[in-house]
């Protein structure tokens, strides 16, 4: 069946690779969303205190750099932990195959019986897969892992940092390019539009309804900007 599928659809990606790509894309969208909201809140808050573009730009760039580094570091630690766990369970599986090959063969056959194959067919499939590559067969059937394609913490860190940076650039440009009287309104409009787009994309990727996702991110972003702008106004009035 797999050989027939590969011959008839040689360019069709496997389900696991599609899911992996969707997960990376979803993470990128969420990272961009974080960059938009956090940077927008920061620059709008500063703009409420000062009309001078220098402190606004300084605060925005500082938020962009620190946020991108923080996102990258957090993603690296998280994915490194995941990769260590994957390596540990793969090492355990390799050891079990070396110590108890007959038991592992029966276990593999039982997995395929559980997926709907008859006992005889499951045993035959298990034997053939074991003869071809026992470790890869068990890693896939038992653990859902491809030993040759484990998660990469450096790739995850870079993707997260890039996504956050791209998201943060939008409010940073929106607050610094217009005239002083238009900075905050332009930024608010640009940010809300961008959040509506990221909410729609994330909902589509997750298979949910866009309206609810868009409402959540737009309301959250609007609240963040309103709160930071209000804090800036209070600090500006008090002279702190």
């Amino acid at each position: 069946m797999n050989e027939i599928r590969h011959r008839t659809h040689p360019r069709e990606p496997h389900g696991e690779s599609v899911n992996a790509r969707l997960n990376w894309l979803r993470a990128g969208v969420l990272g961009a969303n974080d960059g938009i909201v956090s940077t927008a809140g920061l620059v709008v808050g500063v703009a409420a205190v000062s009309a001078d573009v220098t402190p606004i730009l300084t605060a925005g760039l500082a938020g962009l750099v620190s946020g991108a580094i923080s996102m990258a570091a957090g993603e690296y630690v998280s994915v490194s932990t995941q990769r260590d766990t994957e390596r540990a369970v793969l090492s355990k599986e390799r050891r079990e195959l070396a110590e108890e090959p007959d038991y592992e063969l029966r276990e593999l056959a039982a997995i395929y019986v559980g997926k709907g194959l008859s006992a005889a067919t499951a045993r035959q499939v298990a034997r053939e897969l074991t003869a071809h590559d026992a470790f890869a067969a068990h890693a896939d059937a038992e653990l859902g892992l491809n030993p040759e394609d484990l998660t990469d913490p450096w790739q995850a860190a870079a993707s997260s940092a890039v996504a956050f940076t791209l998201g943060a650039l939008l409010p940073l440009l929106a607050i610094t390019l217009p005239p002083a009287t238009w900075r905050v309104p332009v930024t608010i409009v640009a940010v809300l539009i961008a959040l509506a787009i990221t909410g729609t994309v994330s909902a589509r990727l997750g298979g949910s309804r866009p309206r609810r996702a868009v409402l959540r991110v737009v309301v959250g972003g609007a609240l963040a900007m309103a709160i930071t702008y209000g804090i800036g106004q209070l600090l500006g009035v008090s002279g702190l």
Side-chain angles (χ1 to χ4, degrees):
M1 178 67 72
N2 287 336
E3 291 181 1
I4 293 174
R5 181 181 179 185
H6 183 69
R7 287 199 303 268
T8 55
H9 302 283
R11 295 184 181 180
E12 182 177 332
H14 294 290
E16 290 183 2
S17 62
V18 170
N19 289 335
R21 290 177 184 177
L22 288 177
N23 285 335
W24 282 116
L25 184 55
R26 187 178 297 113
V29 171
L30 294 176
N33 186 80
D34 288 343
I36 293 170
V37 174
S38 61
T39 306
L42 185 61
V43 296
V44 166
V46 176
V49 180
S50 173
D52 188 355
V53 73
T54 300
I56 299 174
L57 182 60
T58 301
L61 286 175
L64 185 156
V65 173
S66 62
I69 293 174
S70 176
M71 291 284 289
E75 196 70 16
Y76 178 83
V77 171
S78 175
V79 175
S80 293
T81 301
Q82 178 183 341
R83 187 181 180 92
D84 291 343
T85 302
E86 291 171 347
R87 285 176 170 172
V89 296
L90 287 171
S91 178
K92 180 176 180 289
E93 189 63 36
R94 192 187 295 276
R95 184 173 64 255
E96 291 174 348
L97 282 168
E99 295 173 352
E100 299 178 290
D102 293 336
Y103 175 82
E104 290 296 311
L105 179 61
R106 292 194 299 271
E107 186 179 40
L108 186 61
I111 290 173
Y112 291 117
V113 169
K115 292 184 177 181
L117 296 181
S118 66
T121 302
R123 285 194 296 270
Q124 181 64 25
V125 170
R127 290 192 193 99
E128 292 186 11
L129 289 176
T130 298
H132 175 69
D133 190 336
F135 179 59
H138 281 266
D140 176 59
E142 291 186 45
L143 308 173
L145 295 175
N146 180 355
E148 304 300 323
D149 188 26
L150 298 181
T151 52
D152 185 349
W154 287 108
Q155 182 185 32
S159 299
S160 183
V162 170
F164 185 93
T165 299
L166 292 177
L169 284 174
L170 175 76
L172 192 58
L173 293 174
I175 200 76
T176 55
L177 294 180
T181 55
W182 286 95
R183 284 174 187 159
V184 173
V186 168
T187 302
I188 291 174
V189 172
V191 165
L192 294 182
I193 292 174
L195 290 177
I197 294 172
T198 59
T200 301
V201 173
S202 63
R204 295 295 186 188
L205 292 174
S208 60
R209 295 182 178 180
R211 181 179 300 178
R212 183 174 298 178
V214 169
L215 184 62
R216 282 197 299 262
V217 296
V218 168
V219 170
L223 282 175
M225 289 186 288
I227 292 170
T228 55
Y229 185 82
I231 292 173
Q233 287 280 2
L234 289 174
L235 293 176
V237 171
S238 64
L240 294 180

